[in-house]
Amino acid sequence: MKFDLSKEEHPDIKAYYDALTEHIKLLRKERGISQLKLANILGHNSTSFIARIELRQNKANYNLAHLVLLAKEWSLEVKDLLPDYPVLFK
């Protein structure tokens, strides 16, 4: 399967990133964790990194390394950070 769009522009992938971002934002808020604390967990010193991801700006996304760090910090498995999102193959 070949995509003519960049991976971040493909509608299915963008929708999954949107769902992932919202799911992690919800988990962050449930734990009472600020954007700054989350940024620190991921090795950043300011909220701008998390704000860009949560606002879905400049194609900023969580990557697998981020998910591993969050899972460890929150005593979860990486799969628990993934949203329930149906991926349909055509």
Side-chain angles (χ1 to χ4, degrees):
M1 175 185 308
K2 181 168 180 350
F3 299 121
D4 292 330
L5 305 170
S6 76
K7 67 179 189 242
E8 290 85 8
E9 293 169 336
H10 188 281
D12 293 333
I13 295 171
K14 182 186 176 306
Y16 191 83
Y17 276 132
D18 290 345
L20 175 66
T21 298
E22 284 304 309
H23 186 65
I24 291 177
K25 183 178 178 179
L26 176 67
L27 293 172
R28 173 180 72 76
K29 288 184 173 191
E30 285 176 352
R31 287 166 171 73
I33 295 172
S34 68
Q35 286 184 340
L36 180 58
K37 174 65 176 165
L38 183 57
N40 292 158
I41 292 167
L42 300 179
H44 294 269
N45 295 324
S46 75
T47 60
S48 63
F49 176 72
I50 301 302
R52 277 195 332 269
I53 292 174
E54 290 186 356
L55 293 171
R56 304 287 295 126
Q57 292 179 338
N58 305 334
K59 299 179 186 175
N61 296 301
Y62 292 107
N63 63 36
L64 183 56
H66 297 145
L67 299 181
V68 169
L69 291 171
L70 289 177
K72 182 177 179 184
E73 179 73 21
W74 293 344
S75 300
L76 298 171
E77 293 186 35
V78 171
K79 68 179 183 176
D80 297 326
L81 297 172
L82 302 177
D84 290 328
Y85 183 83
V87 178
L88 305 174
F89 297 98
K90 297 177 185 174

